[in-house]
Amino acid sequence: MRLILFGPPGVGKGTQAKLLSASLGLPHVSTGDMLRDAVAARTELGLKAKATMDAGGLVSDDIMIGIIADVLASQKCEKGFILDGFPRTLPQAEAMTGALRSLHVSLDAVINMEIDEQLVIDRLSQRLTCRNCGRIYNLKVPGPCPNCGGELYQRPDDTPETVRKRLRVYSASTAPVKDYYRKTGLLRDIDASGTIEQVYAAIRQVLNID
Ligand code: AMP
């Protein structure tokens, strides 16, 4: 199965991608995680991307298209993938269509996760991520990770001001990608304002997975 999880920051793409990845046995490909790893490792890519990410902007299409073309062609994505955070612009979506076509494969669905903007702002301002296992929590009080005991931290781009910027960028540059996929008949709308379990059930239902 080749799947895109689409929606604004904070809608729960990463959380749902991890669940689907575990149950379907497919790789979770998160461009945000790849960029954060590059920043942590201080690679050339990380050094280029850090300021843009911290400010809530988008890393350039050229860079992102190059990264994703390599991943899609890699062995790990041979049987499918759960894509989270890509495409975020029309040129990225068009490039991805071309890359998949040249690999002679096609997308199965684009899950459009819909949510109220205020809920996103509330969620992200409380979101903590584990440095060790990557799990995401909505906790008011920071402490050790309930899963592995690792350190929980707030992403530098999850401050209220940067979250508002990311939502503006989403409306201007990313939301138009929805129409691109709606025209292909691949878009599946779901309500992502419920609990993790409710949203997971809704995704499984539109994908016809038991
Ligand atoms: P995420 O973890 O998906 O919220 O991504 C974190 C940040 O990484 C975004 O705010 C962007 O700065 C950058 N980023 C991730 N994916 C992309 C993409 N497809 N295009 C441009 N920038 C991206």
Side-chain angles (χ1 to χ4, degrees):
M1 170 134 28
R2 295 178 178 84
L3 208 60
I4 293 178
L5 295 188
F6 187 86
V11 74
K13 299 186 294 295
T15 300
Q16 296 298 329
K18 285 187 182 73
L19 292 172
L20 287 164
S21 162
S23 76
L24 299 173
L26 293 172
H28 168 201
V29 178
S30 157
T31 46
D33 284 349
M34 291 166 77
L35 290 169
R36 278 183 291 279
D37 288 348
V39 170
R42 297 173 169 276
T43 64
E44 199 186 326
L45 166 66
L47 296 174
K48 266 192 204 157
K50 185 177 185 331
T52 306
M53 292 171 74
D54 285 354
L58 291 182
V59 175
S60 79
D61 284 340
D62 282 356
I63 292 181
M64 297 313 301
I65 288 167
I67 292 177
I68 216 71
D70 287 348
V71 179
L72 295 181
S74 70
Q75 209 182 356
K76 92 169 184 178
C77 288
E78 220 172 43
K79 300 225 154 51
F81 52 78
I82 317 286
L83 198 46
D84 151 21
F86 189 98
R88 263 174 153 103
T89 64
L90 276 176
Q92 289 182 15
E94 285 159 359
M96 168 135 165
T97 301
L100 292 175
R101 192 175 294 139
S102 63
L103 292 167
H104 306 288
V105 296
S106 52
L107 284 173
D108 291 284
V110 178
I111 307 291
N112 176 35
M113 302 173 70
E114 299 270 9
I115 196 170
D116 181 72
E117 193 164 295
Q118 189 54 48
L119 205 54
V120 161
I121 295 172
D122 294 348
R123 273 192 194 176
L124 288 188
S125 59
Q126 290 178 20
R127 172 165 80 174
L128 295 173
T129 308
C130 176
R131 272 193 210 285
N132 184 44
C133 72
R135 286 221 188 168
I136 296 161
Y137 299 95
N138 280 301
L139 299 175
K140 290 197 176 71
V141 187
C145 170
N147 179 49
C148 73
E151 184 199 355
L152 300 183
Y153 78 107
Q154 184 179 45
R155 276 173 43 174
D157 56 349
D158 276 350
T159 59
E161 192 191 328
T162 311
V163 166
R164 276 192 285 276
K165 163 89 188 290
R166 287 162 65 201
L167 287 169
R168 285 199 300 276
V169 169
Y170 176 78
S171 301
S173 304
T174 308
V177 175
K178 243 186 282 185
D179 290 331
Y180 176 85
Y181 285 119
R182 205 179 291 286
K183 282 183 198 139
T184 65
L186 288 172
L187 203 73
R188 306 277 176 274
D189 297 311
I190 63 142
D191 174 7
S193 56
T195 62
I196 291 172
E197 292 74 20
Q198 286 167 338
V199 175
Y200 187 48
I203 294 176
R204 294 179 73 91
Q205 192 179 7
V206 295
L207 292 176
N208 287 319
I209 306 172
D210 299 326

